[in-house]
Amino acid sequence: MAIKFQNPMIMGVLNITPDSFSDGGKYVSIDDAIISAQRMIDEGADIIDIGGESTRPGAKAVSALDEINRVIPVIEALNHSTDTPISIDTSKPEVMELAVKAGASMINDVCALSADGALETAAMLNVDVCLMHMQGSPRTMQKNPIYHDVIDDIKSFFSERIQACIDAGITKEKIILDPGFGFGKTLDHNLEILKRFDEFKSFGLPLLAGLSRKSMIGALLNDRNVDGRVVGSVAGAIIATQNGANIVRVHDVLETKDALTILGGVS
Ligand code: 7PM
Protein backbone atom coordinates (compact mmCIF):
# COMPACT_ATOMS: atom_id res chain seq x y z
CA MET A 1 0.00 0.00 0.00
CA ALA A 2 1.38 3.42 -0.91
CA ILE A 3 1.73 5.83 1.97
CA LYS A 4 0.19 9.31 1.58
CA PHE A 5 1.61 12.42 3.24
CA GLN A 6 -0.76 15.21 4.27
CA ASN A 7 -1.00 15.69 8.02
CA PRO A 8 1.98 14.48 10.02
CA MET A 9 1.84 10.74 10.39
CA ILE A 10 2.81 8.92 13.56
CA MET A 11 5.27 6.08 13.10
CA GLY A 12 5.25 3.81 16.17
CA VAL A 13 8.55 2.14 17.04
CA LEU A 14 8.53 -1.61 17.58
CA ASN A 15 11.96 -2.92 18.52
CA ILE A 16 12.09 -6.70 18.53
CA THR A 17 15.38 -7.30 20.27
CA PRO A 18 16.26 -9.26 23.39
CA ASP A 19 16.66 -5.89 25.15
CA SER A 20 13.10 -4.77 24.60
CA PHE A 21 11.18 -8.05 24.77
CA SER A 22 13.13 -10.28 27.05
CA ASP A 23 12.64 -13.69 28.51
CA GLY A 24 15.68 -14.05 30.70
CA GLY A 25 17.45 -11.61 28.38
CA LYS A 26 18.02 -14.21 25.67
CA TYR A 27 14.80 -14.80 23.77
CA VAL A 28 12.39 -12.48 22.03
CA SER A 29 8.65 -12.90 22.44
CA ILE A 30 6.85 -12.63 19.13
CA ASP A 31 3.48 -12.56 20.92
CA ASP A 32 4.50 -9.58 23.10
CA ALA A 33 5.69 -7.73 20.01
CA ILE A 34 2.37 -8.26 18.23
CA ILE A 35 0.42 -7.06 21.30
CA SER A 36 2.64 -3.97 21.48
CA ALA A 37 2.10 -3.17 17.80
CA GLN A 38 -1.66 -3.64 18.10
CA ARG A 39 -1.71 -1.26 21.07
CA MET A 40 0.16 1.42 19.12
CA ILE A 41 -2.31 1.03 16.26
CA ASP A 42 -5.22 1.41 18.70
CA GLU A 43 -3.54 4.55 20.08
CA GLY A 44 -3.36 6.13 16.62
CA ALA A 45 -0.15 5.01 14.93
CA ASP A 46 -0.28 5.46 11.13
CA ILE A 47 2.78 3.29 10.44
CA ILE A 48 4.49 0.61 12.54
CA ASP A 49 8.27 0.53 12.20
CA ILE A 50 9.56 -2.95 12.97
CA GLY A 51 13.22 -3.55 13.68
CA GLY A 52 15.17 -6.60 14.80
CA GLU A 53 18.60 -5.02 15.07
CA SER A 54 19.62 -2.53 17.74
CA THR A 55 21.27 0.56 16.25
CA ARG A 56 22.20 1.83 19.73
CA PRO A 57 25.68 3.36 19.88
CA GLY A 58 28.12 0.50 20.48
CA ALA A 59 25.53 -2.23 19.89
CA LYS A 60 26.56 -5.66 18.63
CA ALA A 61 25.83 -6.58 15.03
CA VAL A 62 22.96 -9.01 14.49
CA SER A 63 22.99 -11.73 11.83
CA ALA A 64 20.47 -11.57 9.00
CA LEU A 65 18.99 -14.86 10.19
CA ASP A 66 18.41 -13.54 13.74
CA GLU A 67 16.81 -10.41 12.32
CA ILE A 68 14.60 -12.45 10.00
CA ASN A 69 13.48 -14.79 12.79
CA ARG A 70 12.51 -11.81 14.93
CA VAL A 71 10.71 -9.59 12.46
CA ILE A 72 9.08 -11.80 9.82
CA PRO A 73 6.55 -13.59 12.09
CA VAL A 74 5.46 -10.22 13.50
CA ILE A 75 5.09 -8.64 10.04
CA GLU A 76 3.08 -11.65 8.84
CA ALA A 77 0.76 -11.53 11.84
CA LEU A 78 0.19 -7.77 11.58
CA ASN A 79 -0.29 -7.96 7.84
CA HIS A 80 -3.23 -10.28 8.51
CA SER A 81 -4.69 -8.45 11.49
CA THR A 82 -4.46 -4.78 10.35
CA ASP A 83 -4.35 -2.41 7.37
CA THR A 84 -1.80 -0.14 9.06
CA PRO A 85 1.29 0.20 6.85
CA ILE A 86 4.35 -1.65 8.12
CA SER A 87 7.89 -0.32 7.79
CA ILE A 88 10.92 -2.58 8.08
CA ASP A 89 13.83 -1.03 9.96
CA THR A 90 16.86 -2.76 8.48
CA SER A 91 20.02 -2.19 6.46
CA LYS A 92 20.23 -5.73 5.10
CA PRO A 93 18.90 -6.51 1.60
CA GLU A 94 17.89 -10.08 2.52
CA VAL A 95 15.77 -8.79 5.43
CA MET A 96 14.22 -6.07 3.22
CA GLU A 97 13.16 -8.65 0.66
CA LEU A 98 11.54 -11.10 3.08
CA ALA A 99 9.89 -8.29 5.03
CA VAL A 100 8.26 -6.81 1.94
CA LYS A 101 7.13 -10.29 0.84
CA ALA A 102 5.58 -10.69 4.32
CA GLY A 103 3.68 -7.41 3.97
CA ALA A 104 5.93 -4.43 4.74
CA SER A 105 5.35 -1.44 2.43
CA MET A 106 8.28 0.73 3.47
CA ILE A 107 12.01 0.31 4.12
CA ASN A 108 13.54 2.40 6.91
CA ASP A 109 17.30 2.21 6.58
CA VAL A 110 19.59 4.09 8.97
CA CYS A 111 22.38 3.36 6.45
CA ALA A 112 20.43 4.99 3.58
CA LEU A 113 20.73 1.90 1.34
CA SER A 114 24.54 1.88 1.48
CA ALA A 115 24.97 -1.88 2.06
CA ASP A 116 25.97 -4.03 -0.90
CA GLY A 117 22.85 -4.77 -2.95
CA ALA A 118 20.51 -2.58 -0.87
CA LEU A 119 19.80 -0.03 -3.63
CA GLU A 120 19.08 -2.77 -6.16
CA THR A 121 16.87 -4.69 -3.73
CA ALA A 122 14.87 -1.61 -2.76
CA ALA A 123 14.41 -0.73 -6.44
CA MET A 124 13.20 -4.25 -7.21
CA LEU A 125 10.79 -4.26 -4.25
CA ASN A 126 9.30 -0.92 -5.38
CA VAL A 127 8.31 0.32 -1.91
CA ASP A 128 8.80 3.63 -0.08
CA VAL A 129 12.30 4.11 1.36
CA CYS A 130 13.45 6.31 4.22
CA LEU A 131 17.04 7.50 3.76
CA MET A 132 18.54 8.45 7.12
CA HIS A 133 21.74 10.42 7.61
CA MET A 134 24.40 9.02 9.93
CA GLN A 135 27.99 10.18 10.36
CA GLY A 136 30.23 7.16 11.01
CA SER A 137 28.85 3.81 12.17
CA PRO A 138 26.70 2.97 15.21
CA ARG A 139 29.79 1.67 17.02
CA THR A 140 31.83 4.87 16.66
CA MET A 141 29.48 7.66 15.63
CA GLN A 142 29.26 9.47 18.98
CA LYS A 143 33.05 9.67 19.47
CA ASN A 144 33.75 13.12 18.00
CA PRO A 145 31.28 14.13 15.31
CA ILE A 146 32.47 17.10 13.25
CA TYR A 147 30.65 19.06 10.55
CA HIS A 148 31.44 22.10 8.46
CA ASP A 149 27.78 23.13 8.65
CA VAL A 150 25.58 20.34 9.95
CA ILE A 151 22.62 21.30 7.74
CA ASP A 152 24.68 21.81 4.56
CA ASP A 153 26.60 18.58 5.15
CA ILE A 154 23.41 16.55 5.65
CA LYS A 155 21.88 18.18 2.56
CA SER A 156 24.94 17.16 0.50
CA PHE A 157 24.53 13.62 1.81
CA PHE A 158 20.83 13.65 0.84
CA SER A 159 21.67 14.88 -2.69
CA GLU A 160 24.18 12.07 -3.13
CA ARG A 161 21.84 9.34 -1.82
CA ILE A 162 18.84 10.62 -3.81
CA GLN A 163 20.96 10.46 -6.97
CA ALA A 164 22.14 6.95 -6.06
CA CYS A 165 18.50 5.91 -5.67
CA ILE A 166 17.49 7.42 -8.99
CA ASP A 167 20.45 5.74 -10.72
CA ALA A 168 19.30 2.41 -9.25
CA GLY A 169 15.75 2.92 -10.53
CA ILE A 170 14.08 4.12 -7.31
CA THR A 171 11.81 7.01 -8.30
CA LYS A 172 11.84 10.27 -6.33
CA GLU A 173 8.28 9.90 -5.10
CA LYS A 174 9.29 6.79 -3.16
CA ILE A 175 11.89 8.65 -1.10
CA ILE A 176 11.56 10.02 2.46
CA LEU A 177 14.45 11.94 4.08
CA ASP A 178 15.54 11.83 7.72
CA PRO A 179 18.49 13.83 9.17
CA GLY A 180 18.99 11.14 11.83
CA PHE A 181 18.90 12.79 15.26
CA GLY A 182 21.59 11.31 17.49
CA PHE A 183 23.43 9.43 14.75
CA GLY A 184 26.90 11.02 14.84
CA LYS A 185 25.73 14.34 16.28
CA THR A 186 26.48 16.35 19.41
CA LEU A 187 23.67 17.98 21.39
CA ASP A 188 24.35 21.26 19.58
CA HIS A 189 24.18 19.54 16.18
CA ASN A 190 20.86 17.93 17.14
CA LEU A 191 19.40 21.24 18.32
CA GLU A 192 20.56 22.99 15.14
CA ILE A 193 18.87 20.27 13.06
CA LEU A 194 15.62 20.65 15.00
CA LYS A 195 15.71 24.45 14.76
CA ARG A 196 16.46 24.48 11.03
CA PHE A 197 14.47 21.35 10.13
CA ASP A 198 12.49 23.24 7.46
CA GLU A 199 15.66 23.71 5.38
CA PHE A 200 15.42 20.04 4.34
CA LYS A 201 12.11 20.90 2.64
CA SER A 202 14.16 22.15 -0.35
CA PHE A 203 14.25 18.60 -1.77
CA GLY A 204 10.46 18.57 -2.10
CA LEU A 205 10.34 15.18 -0.36
CA PRO A 206 8.58 14.05 2.83
CA LEU A 207 10.65 14.43 6.00
CA LEU A 208 10.84 12.07 8.97
CA ALA A 209 11.95 13.13 12.45
CA GLY A 210 13.00 10.62 15.10
CA LEU A 211 13.90 12.16 18.43
CA SER A 212 11.74 10.05 20.72
CA ARG A 213 13.47 9.29 24.05
CA LYS A 214 16.88 10.13 22.60
CA SER A 215 19.82 11.41 24.61
CA MET A 216 19.34 14.98 23.27
CA ILE A 217 16.02 15.03 25.20
CA GLY A 218 17.69 13.55 28.28
CA ALA A 219 20.58 16.02 28.06
CA LEU A 220 18.28 19.07 27.99
CA LEU A 221 16.48 17.66 31.04
CA ASN A 222 19.56 17.45 33.22
CA ASP A 223 20.48 13.91 32.10
CA ARG A 224 17.02 12.49 32.71
CA ASN A 225 16.83 8.71 32.25
CA VAL A 226 14.91 7.17 29.34
CA ASP A 227 11.71 6.59 31.33
CA GLY A 228 11.43 10.30 32.13
CA ARG A 229 11.71 11.58 28.56
CA VAL A 230 8.10 11.23 27.36
CA VAL A 231 7.03 14.87 27.73
CA GLY A 232 10.32 16.15 26.31
CA SER A 233 9.96 13.76 23.36
CA VAL A 234 6.41 14.94 22.66
CA ALA A 235 7.59 18.57 22.74
CA GLY A 236 10.32 17.63 20.26
CA ALA A 237 7.80 15.94 17.96
CA ILE A 238 5.62 19.08 18.02
CA ILE A 239 8.56 21.37 17.17
CA ALA A 240 9.66 19.04 14.36
CA THR A 241 6.12 19.03 12.98
CA GLN A 242 5.89 22.83 13.10
CA ASN A 243 9.22 22.94 11.29
CA GLY A 244 8.03 20.66 8.49
CA ALA A 245 8.23 17.01 9.57
CA ASN A 246 5.70 14.81 7.75
CA ILE A 247 6.31 11.70 9.85
CA VAL A 248 7.31 11.54 13.51
CA ARG A 249 8.89 8.29 14.70
CA VAL A 250 7.89 7.79 18.33
CA HIS A 251 7.65 5.27 21.15
CA ASP A 252 4.79 7.02 22.97
CA VAL A 253 2.02 7.03 20.41
CA LEU A 254 -0.94 8.04 22.61
CA GLU A 255 0.86 11.06 24.09
CA THR A 256 2.19 12.21 20.71
CA LYS A 257 -1.23 11.80 19.11
CA ASP A 258 -2.86 13.98 21.78
CA ALA A 259 -0.28 16.74 21.30
CA LEU A 260 -0.54 16.61 17.50
CA THR A 261 -4.34 16.79 17.78
CA ILE A 262 -4.03 20.02 19.76
CA LEU A 263 -1.54 21.37 17.20
CA GLY A 264 -3.98 20.39 14.45
CA GLY A 265 -6.70 22.38 16.20
CA VAL A 266 -4.77 25.62 15.71
CA SER A 267 -3.18 24.87 12.33
C1 7PM B 1 19.27 3.06 21.15
C2 7PM B 1 19.59 4.30 20.64
C3 7PM B 1 18.29 2.30 20.58
C4 7PM B 1 18.91 4.79 19.57
C5 7PM B 1 17.60 2.79 19.52
C6 7PM B 1 17.92 4.02 19.00
C7 7PM B 1 15.92 6.39 14.05
C8 7PM B 1 15.68 5.26 13.29
C9 7PM B 1 16.49 4.67 15.21
C10 7PM B 1 15.66 7.68 13.50
C11 7PM B 1 14.95 6.53 11.52
C12 7PM B 1 15.75 4.82 18.42
C13 7PM B 1 17.15 4.63 17.90
N1 7PM B 1 16.41 6.00 15.26
N2 7PM B 1 15.19 5.32 12.03
N3 7PM B 1 16.04 4.20 14.02
N4 7PM B 1 15.17 7.68 12.22
N5 7PM B 1 14.47 6.63 10.28
O1 7PM B 1 15.59 5.76 19.21
O2 7PM B 1 15.87 8.74 14.09
O3 7PM B 1 14.85 4.06 18.10
S1 7PM B 1 17.12 3.66 16.45
Side-chain angles (χ1 to χ4, degrees):
M1 180 219 266
I3 295 166
K4 289 228 300 268
F5 304 96
Q6 353 176 1
N7 301 312
M9 299 177 94
I10 296 177
M11 170 185 269
V13 180
L14 187 68
N15 279 319
I16 313 176
T17 61
D19 298 333
S20 41
F21 293 97
S22 65
D23 182 1
K26 249 178 134 182
Y27 304 99
V28 297
S29 164
I30 301 305
D31 291 346
D32 285 354
I34 293 166
I35 289 166
S36 230
Q38 192 55 58
R39 179 178 144 183
M40 289 194 285
I41 292 166
D42 295 343
E43 291 177 346
D46 301 293
I47 309 169
I48 300 293
D49 186 42
I50 302 182
E53 177 191 39
S54 178
T55 35
R56 165 180 309 118
K60 267 207 317 217
V62 173
S63 75
L65 192 62
D66 278 352
E67 242 185 277
I68 287 163
N69 288 334
R70 290 171 188 177
V71 301
I72 300 301
V74 179
I75 295 172
E76 277 173 352
L78 288 177
N79 189 40
H80 286 108
S81 63
T82 146
D83 288 337
T84 302
I86 298 164
S87 155
I88 175 68
D89 182 346
T90 191
S91 300
K92 297 187 180 78
E94 52 269 60
V95 181
M96 294 172 187
E97 186 164 351
L98 290 175
V100 170
K101 299 222 156 110
S105 56
M106 173 172 170
I107 295 167
N108 173 30
D109 184 0
V110 299
C111 296
L113 304 178
S114 64
D116 273 354
L119 282 166
E120 295 75 10
T121 300
M124 184 262 295
L125 294 172
N126 199 31
V127 293
D128 292 315
V129 297
C130 178
L131 305 175
M132 198 197 78
H133 173 271
M134 163 163 46
Q135 184 180 90
S137 68
R139 221 166 50 76
T140 59
M141 63 193 179
Q142 289 309 104
K143 280 236 160 87
N144 183 27
I146 294 173
Y147 295 87
H148 171 63
D149 175 286
V150 70
I151 307 298
D152 289 349
D153 291 4
I154 293 171
K155 284 176 75 169
S156 299
F157 172 85
F158 285 157
S159 299
E160 188 267 315
R161 295 317 293 164
I162 291 166
Q163 193 55 51
C165 283
I166 290 167
D167 292 347
I170 299 168
T171 54
K172 241 194 133 180
E173 53 272 22
K174 293 253 179 291
I175 301 173
I176 299 154
L177 301 175
D178 177 353
F181 287 105
F183 284 84
K185 283 112 185 163
T186 64
L187 174 60
D188 282 350
H189 293 142
N190 288 318
L191 293 175
E192 181 96 4
I193 293 167
L194 183 55
K195 201 158 89 183
R196 296 170 62 191
F197 202 84
D198 67 314
E199 294 184 36
F200 301 116
K201 287 261 129 197
S202 61
F203 293 95
L205 295 174
L207 302 177
L208 187 151
L211 23 73
S212 181
R213 299 186 185 174
K214 284 190 177 168
S215 64
M216 64 181 287
I217 304 293
L220 286 178
L221 299 173
N222 197 21
D223 289 326
R224 187 79 57 80
N225 67 25
V226 172
D227 294 338
R229 296 178 189 171
V230 179
V231 176
S233 297
V234 171
I238 291 295
I239 297 165
T241 301
Q242 289 189 303
N243 290 351
N246 306 97
I247 307 175
V248 287
R249 183 180 179 278
V250 305
H251 299 86
D252 304 291
V253 171
L254 181 89
E255 292 82 353
T256 307
K257 178 87 185 172
D258 276 0
L260 285 174
T261 301
I262 303 304
L263 181 63
V266 296
S267 303

Coordinates of all heavy atoms in Angstrom, one line a residue, residues 16 53 62 98 120 122 126 146 159 203-204 216 243:
I16 N 12.2 -5.3 18.1 CA 12.1 -6.7 18.5 C 13.5 -7.2 18.7 O 14.1 -7.8 17.9 CB 11.4 -7.6 17.5 CG1 10.1 -6.9 17.0 CG2 11.1 -8.9 18.0 CD1 9.4 -7.6 15.9
E53 N 17.2 -5.3 14.8 CA 18.6 -5.0 15.1 C 18.7 -3.7 15.9 O 18.2 -2.7 15.5 CB 19.3 -4.9 13.7 CG 20.8 -4.5 13.9 CD 21.4 -4.1 12.6 OE1 20.8 -3.4 11.8 OE2 22.6 -4.5 12.4
V62 N 23.9 -7.9 14.4 CA 23.0 -9.0 14.5 C 23.0 -9.7 13.1 O 23.1 -9.0 12.1 CB 21.5 -8.5 14.8 CG1 20.5 -9.6 14.7 CG2 21.5 -7.8 16.2
L98 N 12.5 -10.2 2.4 CA 11.5 -11.1 3.1 C 10.5 -10.3 3.8 O 9.3 -10.7 3.9 CB 12.3 -12.0 4.1 CG 13.1 -13.1 3.4 CD1 13.9 -13.9 4.5 CD2 12.2 -14.1 2.6
E120 N 19.7 -1.9 -5.1 CA 19.1 -2.8 -6.2 C 17.9 -3.5 -5.6 O 16.8 -3.6 -6.2 CB 20.1 -3.8 -6.7 CG 21.3 -3.2 -7.4 CD 22.3 -2.5 -6.5 OE1 22.3 -2.7 -5.3 OE2 23.2 -1.9 -7.1
A122 N 16.0 -2.6 -3.0 CA 14.9 -1.6 -2.8 C 14.2 -1.2 -4.1 O 13.0 -1.1 -4.1 CB 15.4 -0.4 -2.0
N126 N 10.2 -2.0 -5.0 CA 9.3 -0.9 -5.4 C 8.4 -0.4 -4.2 O 7.2 -0.2 -4.4 CB 8.4 -1.5 -6.5 CG 7.8 -0.3 -7.3 OD1 8.3 0.8 -7.4 ND2 6.6 -0.6 -7.8
I146 N 32.1 15.8 13.7 CA 32.5 17.1 13.2 C 31.8 17.4 11.9 O 31.7 16.5 11.0 CB 34.0 17.2 13.1 CG1 34.7 17.0 14.4 CG2 34.4 18.5 12.4 CD1 36.2 16.9 14.4
S159 N 21.6 14.8 -1.2 CA 21.7 14.9 -2.7 C 22.3 13.7 -3.3 O 21.9 13.1 -4.3 CB 22.5 16.1 -3.1 OG 21.9 17.3 -2.6
F203 N 14.2 19.8 -0.9 CA 14.3 18.6 -1.8 C 12.9 18.3 -2.3 O 12.7 17.5 -3.2 CB 14.8 17.4 -1.1 CG 16.3 17.5 -0.7 CD1 16.7 18.0 0.5 CD2 17.3 17.2 -1.7 CE1 18.1 18.1 0.8 CE2 18.6 17.4 -1.4 CZ 19.0 17.8 -0.2
G204 N 11.8 18.8 -1.7 CA 10.5 18.6 -2.1 C 10.0 17.2 -1.8 O 9.2 16.6 -2.4
M216 N 19.5 13.5 23.4 CA 19.3 15.0 23.3 C 18.2 15.5 24.2 O 18.3 16.5 24.8 CB 19.1 15.4 21.8 CG 17.8 15.0 21.2 SD 17.5 15.5 19.5 CE 17.2 17.3 19.7
N243 N 8.1 22.6 12.2 CA 9.2 22.9 11.3 C 9.2 22.1 10.0 O 10.2 22.0 9.3 CB 10.6 22.9 12.0 CG 10.7 24.0 13.1 OD1 9.9 24.9 13.1 ND2 11.7 23.9 13.9

